[in-house]
Amino acid sequence: MKAPRIPMEELMGSGHLACQGCGATQAMRFALKALGPKTALTIPACCWAVIDGSFPHSCIELPIFHTAFETAAVVAAGIKVGLEMRGDSETTVMAWAGDGGTYDIGLQALSGVAERNDDIIYVCYDNEAYMNTGIQRSSSTPVGAWTTTTPVDNYKKEPKKNMIDIMAAHSIPYIATCSVAWPEDVIAKFRKAKEIKGTRYIHIFTPCPTGWKFAPELSIQMARRAVTSHVFPVLEITEHGQKIEVWKDFEPTSVRDYFKPQGRFKHLTDEEIEGLERDVEQKWRRLLAKEKMMASIPGME
Amino acid sequence: MVKKIEFESYKEMPIRPMTLGSMMWNLTGSWRNVRPLYDFKTSPCILGCPTNENIQRYIYLVTEGRYEEAWKTIIESNPMPAVTGRVCFHPCMTKCTRKDYDEAVDINAIERSLGDMGLENGGWMEKSKAVKKEKVAVAGSGPAGLSCAFYLARQGYPVTLFERDKALGGVLRWGIPEYRLSNELLDRVIKQILDSGPVEVKAGVSVGTDVSMDQLEKKYDAVFLGLGLMSSRGLGMDGEDEDGIEPGLDFLRKVNSGERVDPGAKVVVVGGGNTAMDVARCALRAGSEVTVAYRRTRNEMPAIAEEIEEAEKEGVAFHFLAAPKELVRRGGKLVRVIFQKMELGEPDDSGRRRPVPVEGETIEMEVDRLFTAIGEQADLEGIESTVETDWDLIKTSDETGATSNPKIFAGGDVVTGAASVVEAIAAGRKAAERIGRMFAGEPEPEVEEPKTVGIEDMNTDYFTRSKRNLVPRISASEAKTGFSEIKTGYTREQLASEAERCFSCGVCNFCDNCWVYCPDVAIARHEDEYEFLYDYCKGCLICVFECPCNAISIREEGK
């Protein structure tokens, strides 16, 4: 057999409580393979607070601090400082929160940590709603989607919040987005983040078969189509928010193809889908224009 | 088995809530109602290959740089990849799934590279010894005879190989021009086959005349007839035996034995098969102006498409829908041929449209020499009384070459009529296996219909469109001036890059996708295989969907 594509070491084990085809679980597995055993985690209320296992068990062979919903970032920063004071500067501390704990409830703590440039990796695994509490909308839920709080006759009309721009506005040293469909990319970005000091923000796109209403075997397909349809751009922002690099080396696919298997978009009419396709394309063009514009600023070439 | 931790009372609990054990006690396999399982299918290329070379396997081994194993994989079903890698009509590539995506993988070129490596690395060929007592006579040293002798010897049966020419190789030697397959290379291939096992050669001995079938049946426990087709079929025209008409095979034989030939200024070759192409291109190299006359159109030509293209590039002219009608001689010398103009009518038994004459329309051509290449026939002198024949071919009951005589087997062109090298190799191997089973008293195995896959079964998200790596070749203008080999073969880089294009249809090629994407860490990655850990597999089936090759199937639980 060839050399393994990703590290063999497993810090996440079987027997966990994730649904069939859970993208958030894949994300954790890749992240831990990249960071290695010298890692500590904080997990606020989110799917992972459940997936992990029931007391006194955990499927992760690393220290985890289960925090209150709004405090993942700041608890992680506290743990990091505590470790430093005890002479351990080696351990990576990672806050691992869902989109609800990032976009909504944990935003103030994250903003504070980022502004102070505290030395943690903050990860948002984005499944685009409050999934473990019963699929309620978050500010990450995309426009057009059904959730239990945005039912079909009143589906979500507001666009997904632009979390990446918010983080870039904090001028932190490293921001990256990635999708579980490209594990090598996920691992490379976590490894890169591990070597950087300061607040590092990684945003992973993690499909949720249960909440998005698609067959679990399509989980990776959705993670892939979200990227190739330009719905979820994969990018890196470095130089304290000054440099954007967008990944473009793929064959584009249609937004319609991405929507089709997902029950949460089933109610959309052809016209509505066309409108959303135009929105996605506009956002993609704006992003590319921004990438180009930022690179053209004197001193940033 | 990891046990769940349970506390009898609060006193046993830790002071702070903390982890004391893993979740491995939780057998999430019970959530599953369908299970994935590794279920390899047969790649379409393998089914397309008459001798069923394990193409997927050897291309996979090439991607890993395991060339010796790759070569040995071919040798399991074809003892001369260096030959077929040059002259095969590669029906495997017509079946290649990749042709429905961009372009078929150049399996033929990969096979040639491996075949050449096998000749350079003499040690790769395992030697076999005569460990069995039954003896077999093999008549004919063309592809069928060589293949049969090789696979008998590998089973440990001593073989005596009879060839009526002085030199071995049959049609490979005298039927295929040097620019496609050189005698020097053929000598090396034959030597490698003969050196590998207990094969005794009797060259210059014609079975049926020099040695009778009776003698062979007495002396040997089985006889394999791989006699090939020895002579060109005639045109059935008046004056065919006089000046200016020559059987194409005779001409090829002269050219291939290095004899000087002078076919004349204007040459016509009648026929549309590979022999016609070979004759035309050899005549071109002898300095003639050459036209191929064929009674159907280009679409119906049985020759390998590439051969036709090459002939055309080198300057061979084609005249379609024309059949020779009358030979015109002046002073006994052929000067003109009058052709009947044809058109295509209803399809015949071969599925090709039958040519029918267009009354009253003829074409005249000035011709110094007309070569016939409209088919070949067998020479069964001294043989036809021992086995049942069908016209001038030997009749067999199935593809293992069993004839009406239980001790006699046959295969190759003498059974099928003019076919291909690879079909002859397949026939020789299958007969050798059949003979082995007969000696061992084993029953014929039941053949199951193999499961295969098509482009719709593959996950093409994992493939990027790419062009086939073109085989380096000398230019047509250089090619037609001599007999140097036209294709020069892949470099190592091209070989690796072409092998990477293989989709590995229906068979795992260790891409890691199933193992990487499993959310439940329920796939173990071992040295040579993956294993489902059904205790934990929740049955999400991501592995099935993400397998690019369709090597994983689904089974409902409880069924």
mmCIF file with all atom_site columns, all heavy atoms in Angstrom, chain B residues 260-275:
data_model
loop_
_atom_site.group_PDB
_atom_site.id
_atom_site.type_symbol
_atom_site.label_atom_id
_atom_site.label_alt_id
_atom_site.label_comp_id
_atom_site.label_asym_id
_atom_site.label_entity_id
_atom_site.label_seq_id
_atom_site.pdbx_PDB_ins_code
_atom_site.Cartn_x
_atom_site.Cartn_y
_atom_site.Cartn_z
_atom_site.occupancy
_atom_site.B_iso_or_equiv
_atom_site.pdbx_formal_charge
_atom_site.auth_seq_id
_atom_site.auth_comp_id
_atom_site.auth_asym_id
_atom_site.auth_atom_id
_atom_site.pdbx_PDB_model_num
ATOM 1   N N   . ARG B 1 260 ? 15.905 -9.420  -50.847 1.00 0.00 ? 260 ARG B N   1
ATOM 2   C CA  . ARG B 1 260 ? 15.695 -8.181  -51.618 1.00 0.00 ? 260 ARG B CA  1
ATOM 3   C C   . ARG B 1 260 ? 14.440 -8.332  -52.450 1.00 0.00 ? 260 ARG B C   1
ATOM 4   O O   . ARG B 1 260 ? 14.235 -9.361  -53.113 1.00 0.00 ? 260 ARG B O   1
ATOM 5   C CB  . ARG B 1 260 ? 16.878 -7.935  -52.546 1.00 0.00 ? 260 ARG B CB  1
ATOM 6   C CG  . ARG B 1 260 ? 17.838 -6.869  -52.042 1.00 0.00 ? 260 ARG B CG  1
ATOM 7   C CD  . ARG B 1 260 ? 18.816 -6.481  -53.140 1.00 0.00 ? 260 ARG B CD  1
ATOM 8   N NE  . ARG B 1 260 ? 18.179 -5.653  -54.159 1.00 0.00 ? 260 ARG B NE  1
ATOM 9   C CZ  . ARG B 1 260 ? 18.006 -4.329  -54.046 1.00 0.00 ? 260 ARG B CZ  1
ATOM 10  N NH1 . ARG B 1 260 ? 18.450 -3.709  -52.970 1.00 0.00 ? 260 ARG B NH1 1
ATOM 11  N NH2 . ARG B 1 260 ? 17.419 -3.637  -55.000 1.00 0.00 ? 260 ARG B NH2 1
ATOM 12  N N   . VAL B 1 261 ? 13.573 -7.350  -52.428 1.00 0.00 ? 261 VAL B N   1
ATOM 13  C CA  . VAL B 1 261 ? 12.344 -7.453  -53.217 1.00 0.00 ? 261 VAL B CA  1
ATOM 14  C C   . VAL B 1 261 ? 12.235 -6.227  -54.128 1.00 0.00 ? 261 VAL B C   1
ATOM 15  O O   . VAL B 1 261 ? 12.722 -5.148  -53.790 1.00 0.00 ? 261 VAL B O   1
ATOM 16  C CB  . VAL B 1 261 ? 11.092 -7.513  -52.304 1.00 0.00 ? 261 VAL B CB  1
ATOM 17  C CG1 . VAL B 1 261 ? 11.000 -8.846  -51.606 1.00 0.00 ? 261 VAL B CG1 1
ATOM 18  C CG2 . VAL B 1 261 ? 11.084 -6.368  -51.298 1.00 0.00 ? 261 VAL B CG2 1
ATOM 19  N N   . ASP B 1 262 ? 11.612 -6.427  -55.281 1.00 0.00 ? 262 ASP B N   1
ATOM 20  C CA  . ASP B 1 262 ? 11.372 -5.312  -56.195 1.00 0.00 ? 262 ASP B CA  1
ATOM 21  C C   . ASP B 1 262 ? 9.967  -5.460  -56.751 1.00 0.00 ? 262 ASP B C   1
ATOM 22  O O   . ASP B 1 262 ? 9.757  -6.056  -57.805 1.00 0.00 ? 262 ASP B O   1
ATOM 23  C CB  . ASP B 1 262 ? 12.419 -5.326  -57.320 1.00 0.00 ? 262 ASP B CB  1
ATOM 24  C CG  . ASP B 1 262 ? 12.181 -4.165  -58.268 1.00 0.00 ? 262 ASP B CG  1
ATOM 25  O OD1 . ASP B 1 262 ? 11.438 -3.225  -57.892 1.00 0.00 ? 262 ASP B OD1 1
ATOM 26  O OD2 . ASP B 1 262 ? 12.703 -4.212  -59.397 1.00 0.00 ? 262 ASP B OD2 1
ATOM 27  N N   . PRO B 1 263 ? 9.006  -4.957  -56.032 1.00 0.00 ? 263 PRO B N   1
ATOM 28  C CA  . PRO B 1 263 ? 7.623  -5.195  -56.454 1.00 0.00 ? 263 PRO B CA  1
ATOM 29  C C   . PRO B 1 263 ? 7.217  -4.417  -57.697 1.00 0.00 ? 263 PRO B C   1
ATOM 30  O O   . PRO B 1 263 ? 6.161  -4.695  -58.253 1.00 0.00 ? 263 PRO B O   1
ATOM 31  C CB  . PRO B 1 263 ? 6.793  -4.744  -55.252 1.00 0.00 ? 263 PRO B CB  1
ATOM 32  C CG  . PRO B 1 263 ? 7.712  -4.071  -54.316 1.00 0.00 ? 263 PRO B CG  1
ATOM 33  C CD  . PRO B 1 263 ? 9.103  -4.180  -54.798 1.00 0.00 ? 263 PRO B CD  1
ATOM 34  N N   . GLY B 1 264 ? 8.027  -3.459  -58.182 1.00 0.00 ? 264 GLY B N   1
ATOM 35  C CA  . GLY B 1 264 ? 7.652  -2.690  -59.362 1.00 0.00 ? 264 GLY B CA  1
ATOM 36  C C   . GLY B 1 264 ? 7.195  -1.301  -58.989 1.00 0.00 ? 264 GLY B C   1
ATOM 37  O O   . GLY B 1 264 ? 7.011  -0.982  -57.820 1.00 0.00 ? 264 GLY B O   1
ATOM 38  N N   . ALA B 1 265 ? 7.002  -0.471  -60.028 1.00 0.00 ? 265 ALA B N   1
ATOM 39  C CA  . ALA B 1 265 ? 6.717  0.948   -59.776 1.00 0.00 ? 265 ALA B CA  1
ATOM 40  C C   . ALA B 1 265 ? 5.325  1.148   -59.193 1.00 0.00 ? 265 ALA B C   1
ATOM 41  O O   . ALA B 1 265 ? 5.147  1.905   -58.251 1.00 0.00 ? 265 ALA B O   1
ATOM 42  C CB  . ALA B 1 265 ? 6.880  1.737   -61.064 1.00 0.00 ? 265 ALA B CB  1
ATOM 43  N N   . LYS B 1 266 ? 4.333  0.459   -59.765 1.00 0.00 ? 266 LYS B N   1
ATOM 44  C CA  . LYS B 1 266 ? 2.963  0.684   -59.309 1.00 0.00 ? 266 LYS B CA  1
ATOM 45  C C   . LYS B 1 266 ? 2.395  -0.615  -58.735 1.00 0.00 ? 266 LYS B C   1
ATOM 46  O O   . LYS B 1 266 ? 2.299  -1.617  -59.432 1.00 0.00 ? 266 LYS B O   1
ATOM 47  C CB  . LYS B 1 266 ? 2.093  1.160   -60.462 1.00 0.00 ? 266 LYS B CB  1
ATOM 48  C CG  . LYS B 1 266 ? 2.347  2.619   -60.854 1.00 0.00 ? 266 LYS B CG  1
ATOM 49  C CD  . LYS B 1 266 ? 1.382  3.034   -61.935 1.00 0.00 ? 266 LYS B CD  1
ATOM 50  C CE  . LYS B 1 266 ? 1.713  4.371   -62.564 1.00 0.00 ? 266 LYS B CE  1
ATOM 51  N NZ  . LYS B 1 266 ? 1.914  5.476   -61.658 1.00 0.00 ? 266 LYS B NZ  1
ATOM 52  N N   . VAL B 1 267 ? 2.016  -0.542  -57.478 1.00 0.00 ? 267 VAL B N   1
ATOM 53  C CA  . VAL B 1 267 ? 1.567  -1.743  -56.772 1.00 0.00 ? 267 VAL B CA  1
ATOM 54  C C   . VAL B 1 267 ? 0.135  -1.547  -56.279 1.00 0.00 ? 267 VAL B C   1
ATOM 55  O O   . VAL B 1 267 ? -0.213 -0.460  -55.798 1.00 0.00 ? 267 VAL B O   1
ATOM 56  C CB  . VAL B 1 267 ? 2.500  -2.020  -55.572 1.00 0.00 ? 267 VAL B CB  1
ATOM 57  C CG1 . VAL B 1 267 ? 1.867  -3.003  -54.603 1.00 0.00 ? 267 VAL B CG1 1
ATOM 58  C CG2 . VAL B 1 267 ? 3.845  -2.541  -56.045 1.00 0.00 ? 267 VAL B CG2 1
ATOM 59  N N   . VAL B 1 268 ? -0.680 -2.598  -56.437 1.00 0.00 ? 268 VAL B N   1
ATOM 60  C CA  . VAL B 1 268 ? -2.011 -2.576  -55.838 1.00 0.00 ? 268 VAL B CA  1
ATOM 61  C C   . VAL B 1 268 ? -2.097 -3.719  -54.835 1.00 0.00 ? 268 VAL B C   1
ATOM 62  O O   . VAL B 1 268 ? -1.662 -4.835  -55.129 1.00 0.00 ? 268 VAL B O   1
ATOM 63  C CB  . VAL B 1 268 ? -3.116 -2.729  -56.894 1.00 0.00 ? 268 VAL B CB  1
ATOM 64  C CG1 . VAL B 1 268 ? -4.439 -3.091  -56.246 1.00 0.00 ? 268 VAL B CG1 1
ATOM 65  C CG2 . VAL B 1 268 ? -3.273 -1.450  -57.675 1.00 0.00 ? 268 VAL B CG2 1
ATOM 66  N N   . VAL B 1 269 ? -2.606 -3.425  -53.666 1.00 0.00 ? 269 VAL B N   1
ATOM 67  C CA  . VAL B 1 269 ? -2.840 -4.469  -52.675 1.00 0.00 ? 269 VAL B CA  1
ATOM 68  C C   . VAL B 1 269 ? -4.352 -4.640  -52.558 1.00 0.00 ? 269 VAL B C   1
ATOM 69  O O   . VAL B 1 269 ? -5.060 -3.660  -52.296 1.00 0.00 ? 269 VAL B O   1
ATOM 70  C CB  . VAL B 1 269 ? -2.248 -4.091  -51.301 1.00 0.00 ? 269 VAL B CB  1
ATOM 71  C CG1 . VAL B 1 269 ? -2.464 -5.227  -50.317 1.00 0.00 ? 269 VAL B CG1 1
ATOM 72  C CG2 . VAL B 1 269 ? -0.788 -3.746  -51.432 1.00 0.00 ? 269 VAL B CG2 1
ATOM 73  N N   . VAL B 1 270 ? -4.838 -5.848  -52.750 1.00 0.00 ? 270 VAL B N   1
ATOM 74  C CA  . VAL B 1 270 ? -6.275 -6.077  -52.658 1.00 0.00 ? 270 VAL B CA  1
ATOM 75  C C   . VAL B 1 270 ? -6.601 -6.663  -51.288 1.00 0.00 ? 270 VAL B C   1
ATOM 76  O O   . VAL B 1 270 ? -6.078 -7.715  -50.919 1.00 0.00 ? 270 VAL B O   1
ATOM 77  C CB  . VAL B 1 270 ? -6.750 -7.023  -53.780 1.00 0.00 ? 270 VAL B CB  1
ATOM 78  C CG1 . VAL B 1 270 ? -8.232 -7.339  -53.620 1.00 0.00 ? 270 VAL B CG1 1
ATOM 79  C CG2 . VAL B 1 270 ? -6.484 -6.396  -55.140 1.00 0.00 ? 270 VAL B CG2 1
ATOM 80  N N   . GLY B 1 271 ? -7.401 -5.954  -50.520 1.00 0.00 ? 271 GLY B N   1
ATOM 81  C CA  . GLY B 1 271 ? -7.776 -6.419  -49.183 1.00 0.00 ? 271 GLY B CA  1
ATOM 82  C C   . GLY B 1 271 ? -7.825 -5.247  -48.225 1.00 0.00 ? 271 GLY B C   1
ATOM 83  O O   . GLY B 1 271 ? -7.360 -4.150  -48.547 1.00 0.00 ? 271 GLY B O   1
ATOM 84  N N   . GLY B 1 272 ? -8.389 -5.463  -47.034 1.00 0.00 ? 272 GLY B N   1
ATOM 85  C CA  . GLY B 1 272 ? -8.542 -4.374  -46.078 1.00 0.00 ? 272 GLY B CA  1
ATOM 86  C C   . GLY B 1 272 ? -8.142 -4.753  -44.672 1.00 0.00 ? 272 GLY B C   1
ATOM 87  O O   . GLY B 1 272 ? -8.442 -4.044  -43.706 1.00 0.00 ? 272 GLY B O   1
ATOM 88  N N   . GLY B 1 273 ? -7.453 -5.870  -44.515 1.00 0.00 ? 273 GLY B N   1
ATOM 89  C CA  . GLY B 1 273 ? -7.062 -6.313  -43.180 1.00 0.00 ? 273 GLY B CA  1
ATOM 90  C C   . GLY B 1 273 ? -5.630 -5.902  -42.844 1.00 0.00 ? 273 GLY B C   1
ATOM 91  O O   . GLY B 1 273 ? -4.989 -5.144  -43.588 1.00 0.00 ? 273 GLY B O   1
ATOM 92  N N   . ASN B 1 274 ? -5.138 -6.432  -41.729 1.00 0.00 ? 274 ASN B N   1
ATOM 93  C CA  . ASN B 1 274 ? -3.786 -6.074  -41.306 1.00 0.00 ? 274 ASN B CA  1
ATOM 94  C C   . ASN B 1 274 ? -2.725 -6.569  -42.282 1.00 0.00 ? 274 ASN B C   1
ATOM 95  O O   . ASN B 1 274 ? -1.705 -5.907  -42.484 1.00 0.00 ? 274 ASN B O   1
ATOM 96  C CB  . ASN B 1 274 ? -3.508 -6.632  -39.916 1.00 0.00 ? 274 ASN B CB  1
ATOM 97  C CG  . ASN B 1 274 ? -4.271 -5.859  -38.864 1.00 0.00 ? 274 ASN B CG  1
ATOM 98  O OD1 . ASN B 1 274 ? -4.404 -4.640  -38.968 1.00 0.00 ? 274 ASN B OD1 1
ATOM 99  N ND2 . ASN B 1 274 ? -4.796 -6.542  -37.866 1.00 0.00 ? 274 ASN B ND2 1
ATOM 100 N N   . THR B 1 275 ? -2.968 -7.733  -42.904 1.00 0.00 ? 275 THR B N   1
ATOM 101 C CA  . THR B 1 275 ? -2.001 -8.215  -43.885 1.00 0.00 ? 275 THR B CA  1
ATOM 102 C C   . THR B 1 275 ? -1.909 -7.216  -45.039 1.00 0.00 ? 275 THR B C   1
ATOM 103 O O   . THR B 1 275 ? -0.812 -6.896  -45.505 1.00 0.00 ? 275 THR B O   1
ATOM 104 C CB  . THR B 1 275 ? -2.426 -9.605  -44.417 1.00 0.00 ? 275 THR B CB  1
ATOM 105 O OG1 . THR B 1 275 ? -2.599 -10.472 -43.306 1.00 0.00 ? 275 THR B OG1 1
ATOM 106 C CG2 . THR B 1 275 ? -1.397 -10.170 -45.362 1.00 0.00 ? 275 THR B CG2 1
#
